[in-house]
Amino acid sequence: MELSVIIPVFNEEETIDELQEALFRNLRDLDRSWEVIFVDDGSRDSSPDKLEKIVDEDPEHFLLICLRRNFGQTAAIAAGIDHATGNIIVLMDADMQNDPADIPALLEKIDEGYDVVSGWRIQRKDKFFTRTLPSRIANGLISWVTNVKLHDYGCTLKAYRREVLTGFRLYGEMHRFIPAYAGYVGARIIEVPVKHHPRRFGKTNYGLERTLKVILDL
Ligand code: UDP
Ligand code: MG
């Protein structure tokens, strides 16, 4: 397998069909084999049923892992990575704030020889005081502490060469630090601007308290 796209899902029933269509549209013409791994993180809505239907219709491209309860985004991502068979791993969110149309551009940079291609939401569409501003401060802090300088650690949409993802266990809020771990093993990292859309359905699972958790993890 050349590409695994891993998507944690928690109560995202309104966007799942649109997400699947957008993924298919952007991945089908790639000149490489691909799979999408949905990880249902204990959703309490119809997300698991919708995902199951997608997998039944196209089991060659779509896989579903169901966690027994809600473990959080980092644990869901870790489960996805454990099951992924691709040489390239792309992580993204399920709520269509990330855009599958950006995936080809990330892959191009991997093909150029980079090990981590980090999505950077240049025009972020989240609330300024509770999300964008704290995140800017967190990015500065993480860059300073880890010495891996990135503008947008919090953007899930990133592509990784598989071998830089082994050798550490993700817990807490740590999926954000994956590029820093990769940096420690010598990964070549580049940032690429990606689109960002406002959340149209459901609501964010996070507020200011997450910044505190991220800092504790750091
Ligand atoms: N998510 C998850 N488990 C959780 C919380 C969130 O799998 O306990 C998923 C969620 O469905 C989405 C992604 O993680 O695909 C990012 O969550 P969210 O959109 O709430 O975060 P934000 O975009 O506000 O940072
Ligand atoms: Mg979101």
Side-chain angles (χ1 to χ4, degrees), residues 93 95 97 126 196 199 204:
D93 290 343
D95 55 4
Q97 288 201 264
D126 284 320
H196 192 239
R199 202 184 228 286
T204 175

Coordinates of all heavy atoms in Angstrom, one line a residue, residues 93 95 97 126 196 199 204, ligand 2:
D93 N -8.8 15.7 9.9 CA -10.0 15.7 10.7 C -11.2 15.2 9.8 O -11.2 15.3 8.6 CB -10.3 17.0 11.2 CG -9.3 17.4 12.3 OD1 -8.6 16.5 12.8 OD2 -9.2 18.6 12.6
D95 N -14.3 16.6 10.2 CA -15.4 17.6 10.2 C -15.4 18.5 9.0 O -16.2 19.5 8.9 CB -15.4 18.4 11.5 CG -14.0 19.1 11.7 OD1 -13.2 19.0 10.8 OD2 -13.9 19.7 12.7
Q97 N -13.2 20.6 8.2 CA -12.5 21.8 8.4 C -11.2 21.7 7.6 O -10.7 22.7 7.0 CB -12.1 22.1 9.8 CG -13.4 22.5 10.6 CD -13.0 23.2 11.9 OE1 -13.0 22.6 13.0 NE2 -12.8 24.5 11.9
D126 N -11.4 29.7 12.9 CA -11.9 29.4 14.2 C -12.0 30.7 15.1 O -11.4 31.7 14.7 CB -10.9 28.4 14.9 CG -11.1 27.0 14.4 OD1 -12.2 26.6 14.2 OD2 -10.0 26.3 14.3
H196 N -8.7 26.0 5.1 CA -9.3 25.7 6.4 C -10.7 26.2 6.3 O -10.9 27.4 5.9 CB -8.6 26.3 7.6 CG -9.0 25.8 8.9 ND1 -9.5 26.7 9.9 CD2 -9.1 24.6 9.4 CE1 -9.9 26.0 11.0 NE2 -9.6 24.7 10.7
R199 N -16.3 25.2 10.9 CA -17.1 24.0 11.2 C -18.5 24.3 10.9 O -19.1 25.2 11.5 CB -16.9 23.6 12.7 CG -17.2 22.2 13.0 CD -17.0 21.9 14.5 NE -16.2 20.8 14.8 CZ -16.6 19.5 14.7 NH1 -17.8 19.3 14.3 NH2 -15.8 18.5 15.1
T204 N -17.0 22.0 18.0 CA -15.7 21.7 18.4 C -15.7 20.9 19.7 O -16.5 21.2 20.6 CB -14.7 22.9 18.5 OG1 -13.5 22.4 19.0 CG2 -15.3 23.9 19.4
Ligands
MG2 MG -12.6 20.8 13.7

